[in-house]
Amino acid sequence: MEKMTNQAARRYLRQVRQLLPCSRREKNELTSALRQSLSEYLSEHPNATSEAIQTHFGTPESVAAMCMETTELPSLLKRIHIRRRILTIIVAAVIAILLTWGGFLLYLYTHVQKDALGGYDILTITDLGNQNEETESGSVLTIPET
Amino acid sequence: MTDSFGQVNFQRGVASVVVLSLLKQADMYGYQLVQEMERQSLGALSMQEGALYPVLYKLQDAGYVSSEKVLVGKRMTRVYYHLEPEGEQYLSRLLADYRAVVDGVLRIAEGVDPWKK
């Protein structure tokens, strides 16, 4: 097939294809038929603008609407359910990844901080006197009276 | 082209009837179908060429219509659509349904109540 040089026509075909609510096979067939007609139209109107193309062929939305109108209802509902299911799975996967990543970062934060202190816990001394404090790691820290 | 009530609703219900009826007259290509639609309906019906292809695709997929590429000029090809025998039978059924619906609508619109004595 001859390559389409008119940018407006290429953009139009791309927009129609993006909006078509049908299977890949049907999209290919429809855009192929449209491309053929567009080529013939452009041979007579080589500098056709986007507006002129849409006036003749219809807006991408109207083409998509007619496609939807001619699709059997069960098939249309099935496509809607499939899309909803895919969206639900994607959202669930993103949430799971975020939670896992958040948990991992929290784990890193708590353990890296402990390692940086040589395995000791931080204690806040409020009263200076002889104190024997037992830390979480089990070592005894004696703070002399000053 | 301005949208009128008739044109918008035409696109949403009777496109198959009109397309099949035109193809019954002769094999036609896309733009020719659009032109004949407007000409034979005296302007009452019109459709943009892009919206025609989903209709033709469905009819082809169901086996009611077939297509053939014909060389036009030196390098251009044009797709002509042809009504198949199954398509002609389908058209008969569609027309019967369409007449019944239109009849019913007109009866209601004109206030003809079949149950009134």
Side-chain angles (χ1 to χ4, degrees):
Chain A
M1 201 177 286
E2 213 175 292
K3 193 182 174 184
M4 202 164 280
T5 53
N6 185 303
Q7 217 174 12
R10 283 208 311 270
R11 188 168 51 242
Y12 176 77
L13 273 176
R14 198 170 51 243
Q15 285 169 346
V16 166
R17 194 183 168 84
Q18 276 171 0
L19 286 174
L20 284 176
C22 49
S23 65
R24 190 184 293 266
R25 184 175 76 97
E26 194 171 341
K27 273 190 202 190
N28 291 340
E29 298 271 354
L30 286 172
T31 49
S32 172
L34 209 43
R35 183 180 284 113
Q36 208 125 34
S37 289
L38 260 168
S39 293
E40 189 169 346
Y41 176 78
L42 290 173
S43 69
E44 291 168 23
H45 311 88
N47 299 317
T49 60
S50 207
E51 262 176 11
I53 289 168
Q54 291 199 17
T55 301
H56 183 90
F57 288 94
T59 60
E61 289 81 7
S62 67
V63 177
M66 184 53 99
C67 185
M68 194 175 284
E69 190 65 32
T70 54
T71 302
E72 297 294 332
L73 189 59
S75 175
L76 206 59
L77 286 173
K78 190 179 169 187
R79 290 190 73 79
I80 291 169
H81 286 148
I82 288 170
R83 279 184 187 180
R84 241 186 233 159
R85 205 169 288 164
I86 290 171
L87 193 65
T88 306
I89 289 168
I90 289 170
V91 168
V94 166
I95 290 171
I97 288 166
L98 285 173
L99 284 173
T100 308
W101 184 242
F104 180 65
L105 284 175
L106 189 65
Y107 171 83
L108 274 181
Y109 175 75
T110 51
H111 283 76
V112 164
Q113 196 178 36
K114 193 169 180 177
D115 285 346
L117 295 170
Y120 289 99
D121 295 322
I122 296 169
L123 293 175
T124 306
I125 302 165
T126 54
D127 180 27
L128 293 180
N130 266 352
Q131 291 178 43
N132 282 344
E133 290 287 345
E134 194 165 324
T135 67
E136 274 183 37
S137 56
S139 55
V140 176
L141 180 69
T142 306
I143 302 149
E145 192 177 353
T146 53
Chain B
M1 188 184 70
T2 55
D3 277 342
S4 72
F5 183 82
Q7 287 170 359
V8 169
N9 281 276
F10 156 71
Q11 288 190 14
R12 294 197 181 155
V14 302
S16 296
V17 173
V18 174
V19 166
L20 290 170
S21 299
L22 286 170
L23 291 178
K24 191 177 176 182
Q25 297 170 18
D27 292 358
M28 293 186 193
Y29 59 95
Y31 187 51
Q32 193 179 8
L33 280 164
V34 167
Q35 287 178 310
E36 284 300 305
M37 223 181 263
E38 197 162 344
R39 188 183 72 80
Q40 292 186 30
S41 69
L42 301 176
L45 302 174
S46 69
M47 185 184 243
Q48 287 159 316
E49 201 177 335
L52 186 63
Y53 292 109
V55 178
L56 283 166
Y57 173 81
K58 289 293 188 309
L59 292 172
Q60 264 191 286
D61 204 37
Y64 301 138
V65 162
S66 59
S67 64
E68 190 191 345
K69 284 186 185 173
V70 173
L71 189 65
V72 174
K74 280 185 184 173
R75 285 193 296 174
M76 203 177 305
T77 54
R78 195 182 264 168
V79 178
Y80 277 82
Y81 297 92
H82 169 77
L83 183 66
E84 293 293 323
E86 294 84 1
E88 213 165 322
Q89 289 171 18
Y90 179 61
L91 174 60
S92 302
R93 294 198 303 271
L94 269 186
L95 273 171
D97 289 345
Y98 183 67
R99 280 194 190 102
V101 166
V102 170
D103 233 0
V105 169
L106 287 173
R107 279 175 179 279
I108 294 168
E110 289 166 3
V112 176
D113 189 342
W115 300 107
K116 245 187 195 168
K117 285 185 183 173

